[in-house]
Amino acid sequence: MKLSTELEGLQNLEELDFSYNELHDFVASKENLRKLKIAYLEGVFHNETTSLLQVVEAFSSAKTPVFEQLNQDYFLSSNVEEISMVDSHLTHNILQSIGALTSLKSLILSNSSLTGSLPPKGWCGLRKLEELDLSGNALEGSISSCFRNLTSLGLLDISSNRIEVASSFKSFANNSNLKAQLIDQNILVSDPSIEPQTLNPEFQLKLLSMSNCRAKGLPNFLHYRTDLRYIDLSHNNLGGKNPSWLLQNNTRLQQFLMQGNSFKGPLQLPKHVNVNMFYVDICGNKMQGQIPMNIGSMFPHLQILNLSRNVFEDKLRQLYLDGNNFDGEMPLIDISTLSFSALSDIDLSDNHLSEHLHLSRNRLSGPLPHALYNISSLVALDLGQNNLTGKIPYWIANLSALRILVFRGNHFEGEIPSQICQLNLLSIVDLSPNKLSGHTPSCLSTLTLMPTDKSFRIASTPYLIDASQDSEFVFPGSSHRYPGTYVGEQVLFTTKKGLYSYSGNLLEYMSGIDLSCNMLTGPIPPELGNLSELHSLNLSHNNLIGFIPSSFSKLEQIEGLDLSRNQLSDIIPIQLMELNSLAVFNVSYNNLSASILYDKAQFATFGESSYLGNPFLCGPPKHESCSGTGLAPTTPNASSSEEESGFMDKHAFLVTFLASYPIVLTTIGVVLYINPYWQRRWFYFIEQCINTCHNFSVDNVL
């Protein structure tokens, strides 16, 4: 029996779900499904479904190629109200026939592989359209003048395309219901035919997201907006005076994002308290002056404040936040570029703060602040490039949740405390350069260095507004959510011959240990070879002795290994050929010997600079040949015990020496007896030695 016969008699059916099936020989007529309003066809594709589409009044479909061949031949009913096809792969631009759908209220075609130009015609008749989402495609062209007719339009999302939008926004002049407009990653073009001050669009936006649009200036209509909740003008290279009037005019603003521009002038706060503001980000501009002292009182619910990479003055001397009831994540305020000409005290004790503390590149001095003693939930501690002194305290072990420890560029001295090894969640340890001495702790091998969890994201409210909870901001379906924001954790770490910034997902999988530029002595602990998840190890510029452990062959994820500028000896272990991920290798300026593993595995990619300053290393890429040097080539047959010790067995050496000594003397005596010429040369040499010693004694001793 055909499926179509099963549907006979269901003339009152209003909703039908055929998702994720394969339909065969299915023909539905208007008589069978004349009251059908909603059809779910996710994951369904068959030509026979086209007759069903003729009677659908509300069509919802996600991740289905059912519209791949959609064109006017399908005669889609003009009664269709909703089309939703997220993450599809459309081979035909169905927008070319969009004008026939005069009842359409919602059209969502985000991330659907649409290409070509945005059609100039067909939009004029869509007066009922309330929601249009074409984001994440490759559409080009400009906004049609017919968009003025879309008087019901409340949401427009064309972000992540290549569409040209006139900076006058003249195409939206009559869209009085427009509340949310997302045009990120498109092209904002000037419109010389219109005087900016003569056009004031009727819409009163609540959300405007306009980042990465190559804008030449701020749209003039923004001067007349008073109900914005979210505005993002980031990364447009906008200049001029800081648009603080946006804060003053929009008293219900929640998120104010202006990073990556060239705004100048002081940070001016509104005259009235804004209890809604929770995120302000104006980093990467040229703003100057002092940070307003009343920023906390004007924005009492502020969660995230980013003022980095400006030229603000900060004359903070003492900061006491103890004795409160703060809890949750510690807000990430990047003050790394501000001048702390002596923040002398910071006290965060007796709170329940957690997560991240970044105070790098300031002028902090003295020992490590004892205020950190009991912050057991601290995840990242970055005090790099300050003037901190003294020893790394034993109570460092109390920071049991610590994953990132950066003390780079201070003046810490003494030994590296073994208590650091108790922080077994550490994934990044940077103690370079300091004045640390003693041996390299072998207990570092106990670190897990496993990929981290979500602790490296400090998230604000996941989405700005949920339409289902804001009666003034409702769109069809009451499910559309608007841009969420988070501040990604960022850490600078030296690896692969450079200082790189790790953030987001990269940071979650990064692991490294940098103890370079200290005064560490003794051998390299072979136990470090157990750090199979380690990506970078830097022990350069110390006073390490002994051999390179062959156990390093177990560093399966290692990408950078720097052992240069030490006093290491013996050979380069052939077992290191197993390091298939190794991209940077440096053992220069040591006392290594024998031939180089030049043409083997990753070692074929390392140049001469990796081996400079080792006079007893030979073979390519160095110019010294191993032939005639008396140096034995590196072979895989050397026993592990001989390689690990770096010395010959003492008993074997003594026996060999006693046996060879008389043989050498006898050989010399025989040669002198047989050859008179060599006899004369020998006695002449002895005489010269005696005369030299005599003259030296007379001139320098007597």
Side-chain angles (χ1 to χ4, degrees):
M1 183 180 296
K2 294 183 179 180
L3 181 59
S4 56
T5 61
E6 291 288 326
L7 297 177
E8 293 180 0
L10 299 178
Q11 290 85 356
N12 295 322
L13 189 67
E14 295 184 358
E15 182 173 333
L16 180 64
D17 189 346
F18 276 162
S19 302
Y20 304 102
N21 282 286
E22 294 184 8
L23 300 181
H24 298 282
D25 301 323
F26 171 56
V27 178
S29 65
K30 292 184 179 180
E31 287 72 23
N32 289 350
L33 303 172
R34 58 189 176 188
K35 292 188 178 181
L36 188 66
K37 294 182 179 180
I38 301 174
Y40 298 101
L41 302 178
E42 286 87 350
V44 173
F45 175 60
H46 203 280
N47 285 340
E48 281 79 3
T49 63
T50 59
S51 60
L52 176 64
L53 301 182
Q54 295 177 19
V55 296
V56 173
E57 293 184 21
F59 180 82
S60 176
S61 179
K63 297 183 178 178
T64 172
V66 72
F67 270 116
E68 283 190 356
Q69 301 176 6
L70 180 65
N71 52 43
Q72 293 180 350
D73 296 334
Y74 274 56
F75 301 109
L76 197 63
S77 171
S78 60
N79 294 325
V80 172
E81 295 181 356
E82 299 180 22
I83 297 178
S84 176
M85 301 189 66
V86 180
D87 299 326
S88 300
H89 297 283
L90 303 179
T91 59
H92 182 81
N93 191 341
I94 69 172
L95 298 177
Q96 303 299 332
S97 55
I98 200 67
L101 307 178
T102 54
S103 298
L104 199 62
K105 293 183 179 180
S106 176
L107 177 62
I108 302 177
L109 300 175
S110 57
N111 301 312
S112 296
S113 305
L114 290 174
T115 59
S117 298
L118 195 66
K121 299 181 179 179
W123 301 99
C124 293
L126 305 183
R127 296 180 181 273
K128 296 181 180 180
L129 190 64
E130 300 175 0
E131 183 175 22
L132 177 61
D133 186 349
L134 304 176
S135 61
N137 289 290
L139 294 169
E140 300 175 339
S142 57
I143 299 292
S144 170
S145 59
C146 278
F147 270 67
R148 291 188 178 188
N149 291 8
L150 307 183
T151 53
S152 299
L153 190 65
L155 166 70
L156 174 67
D157 188 350
I158 57 172
S159 56
S160 301
N161 283 283
R162 296 191 290 269
I163 299 173
E164 294 184 353
V165 181
S167 59
S168 63
F169 282 62
K170 65 179 181 180
S171 300
F172 314 107
N174 298 333
N175 300 99
S176 58
N177 290 310
L178 191 60
K179 297 295 189 297
Q181 194 171 48
L182 298 93
I183 60 174
D184 308 274
Q185 299 183 51
N186 284 284
I187 305 171
L188 199 69
V189 296
S190 58
D191 190 353
S193 63
I194 295 181
E195 294 292 333
Q197 62 272 17
T198 63
L199 187 65
N200 181 14
E202 295 183 5
F203 56 77
Q204 191 61 260
L205 289 176
K206 294 179 184 292
L207 182 151
L208 176 61
S209 191
M210 199 185 80
S211 63
N212 293 282
C213 286
R214 312 179 199 172
K216 302 298 182 182
L218 283 173
N220 190 67
F221 76 88
L222 285 177
H223 286 273
Y224 308 101
R225 305 310 102 185
T226 59
D227 200 24
L228 283 169
R229 316 293 174 82
Y230 175 104
I231 184 167
D232 185 356
L233 301 176
S234 304
H235 305 294
N236 282 303
N237 199 29
L238 296 169
K241 189 177 180 180
N242 171 41
S244 56
W245 43 268
L246 282 168
L247 295 172
Q248 178 64 34
N249 295 347
N250 297 274
T251 57
R252 302 176 70 180
L253 198 62
Q254 298 178 16
Q255 300 192 48
F256 183 69
L257 311 178
M258 297 286 175
Q259 66 264 37
N261 287 292
S262 299
F263 290 123
K264 299 179 181 178
L267 175 60
Q268 296 179 345
L269 301 181
K271 297 178 181 179
H272 305 287
V273 175
N274 184 342
V275 296
N276 300 299
M277 185 72 76
F278 68 86
Y279 185 15
V280 174
D281 190 343
I282 57 174
C283 72
N285 283 279
K286 298 179 180 179
M287 299 180 64
Q288 66 267 17
Q290 294 188 16
I291 299 174
M293 297 180 62
N294 62 337
I295 192 169
S297 58
M298 299 309 294
F299 301 141
H301 295 153
L302 192 65
Q303 297 180 26
I304 298 175
L305 175 64
N306 192 349
L307 307 178
S308 65
R309 290 183 286 122
N310 282 282
V311 286
F312 287 119
E313 300 173 5
D314 197 319
K315 297 182 179 180
L316 190 64
R317 293 294 185 271
Q318 295 178 327
L319 178 61
Y320 293 94
L321 298 175
D322 57 301
N324 285 288
N325 292 314
F326 298 137
D327 58 13
E329 296 181 344
M330 195 169 185
L332 178 59
I333 303 175
D334 189 353
I335 55 175
S336 59
T337 58
L338 303 182
S339 175
F340 274 64
S341 58
L343 176 60
S344 57
D345 295 289
I346 179 170
D347 190 348
L348 303 175
S349 59
D350 297 323
N351 281 289
H352 303 284
L353 296 172
S354 63
E355 301 300 335
H356 310 271
L357 179 60
H358 292 257
L359 291 172
S360 63
R361 296 189 296 278
N362 287 289
R363 301 178 184 176
L364 300 177
S365 59
L368 194 64
H370 197 270
L372 302 173
Y373 180 81
N374 278 326
I375 308 183
S376 59
S377 55
L378 193 65
V379 171
L381 177 59
D382 185 354
L383 297 175
Q385 294 178 296
N386 282 288
N387 295 314
L388 298 173
T389 57
K391 296 183 178 181
I392 299 176
Y394 297 143
W395 54 256
I396 195 76
N398 292 350
L399 309 180
S400 55
L402 206 62
R403 292 181 180 273
I404 294 177
L405 178 62
V406 178
F407 287 165
R408 178 182 65 251
N410 282 285
H411 304 287
F412 288 114
E413 58 187 10
E415 297 184 352
I416 300 175
S418 60
Q419 284 75 10
I420 282 185
C421 303
Q422 298 178 28
L423 305 174
N424 55 7
L425 296 180
L426 280 175
S427 59
I428 291 181
V429 182
D430 189 348
L431 305 180
S432 72
N434 279 280
K435 300 178 181 179
L436 298 171
S437 57
H439 288 196
T440 306
S442 60
C443 62
L444 290 174
S445 62
T446 61
L447 302 180
T448 57
L449 304 176
M450 296 298 290
T452 63
D453 55 19
K454 297 179 181 178
S455 59
F456 289 114
R457 284 186 177 180
I458 299 181
S460 64
T461 303
Y463 299 93
L464 171 69
I465 297 172
D466 184 345
S468 63
Q469 300 175 2
D470 190 338
S471 59
E472 300 180 9
F473 208 7
V474 175
F475 297 103
S478 297
S479 61
H480 197 90
R481 297 171 184 259
Y482 302 99
T485 55
Y486 70 88
V487 176
E489 180 71 3
Q490 187 178 64
V491 173
L492 295 175
F493 187 73
T494 301
T495 181
K496 297 183 180 180
K497 297 183 178 180
L499 185 64
Y500 297 96
S501 174
Y502 291 88
S503 60
N505 292 335
L506 287 177
L507 184 58
E508 293 179 18
Y509 293 94
M510 180 57 191
S511 59
I513 296 177
D514 191 345
L515 307 180
S516 63
C517 300
N518 281 287
M519 298 181 289
L520 299 178
T521 57
I524 299 175
E527 293 85 352
L528 296 184
N530 296 328
L531 298 171
S532 58
E533 299 293 328
L534 192 67
H535 286 80
S536 176
L537 177 61
N538 192 345
L539 301 176
S540 65
H541 292 80
N542 280 288
N543 298 312
L544 302 176
I545 60 173
F547 54 89
I548 300 175
S550 61
S551 61
F552 277 10
S553 63
K554 296 186 291 184
L555 301 176
E556 299 174 356
Q557 304 295 327
I558 199 76
E559 298 174 359
L561 179 59
D562 192 345
L563 306 175
S564 63
R565 304 277 180 176
N566 281 288
Q567 301 175 30
L568 301 175
S569 57
D570 208 355
I571 63 174
I572 300 174
I574 197 169
Q575 289 88 344
L576 298 189
M577 288 193 304
E578 301 173 17
L579 303 178
N580 295 322
S581 299
L582 194 60
V584 172
F585 178 67
N586 194 349
V587 292
S588 60
Y589 299 98
N590 280 286
N591 297 315
L592 300 172
S593 59
S595 62
I596 298 173
L597 311 173
Y598 175 64
D599 59 347
K600 299 176 176 65
Q602 290 293 99
F603 285 81
T605 65
F606 305 141
E608 184 180 10
S609 60
S610 296
Y611 307 101
L612 292 175
N614 290 278
F616 301 110
L617 276 180
C618 61
K622 294 190 71 176
H623 300 294
E624 292 83 356
S625 173
C626 291
S627 60
T629 62
L631 295 175
T634 305
T635 63
N637 297 324
S639 68
S640 60
S641 61
E642 289 178 346
E643 186 175 336
E644 293 294 330
S645 66
F647 296 96
M648 186 184 296
D649 183 78
K650 293 182 178 180
H651 178 72
F653 173 78
L654 183 61
V655 172
T656 303
F657 177 77
L658 293 177
S660 60
Y661 185 71
I663 296 175
V664 172
L665 291 180
T666 303
T667 302
I668 294 175
V670 171
V671 170
L672 295 178
Y673 178 78
I674 296 175
N675 194 325
Y677 172 77
W678 282 107
Q679 291 179 17
R680 291 193 298 272
R681 297 298 300 172
W682 174 257
F683 289 119
Y684 178 76
F685 172 73
I686 296 299
E687 183 179 5
Q688 289 296 321
C689 290
I690 294 174
N691 290 336
T692 300
C693 293
H694 176 267
N695 294 334
F696 178 81
S697 301
V698 171
D699 295 338
N700 296 283
V701 180
L702 299 179

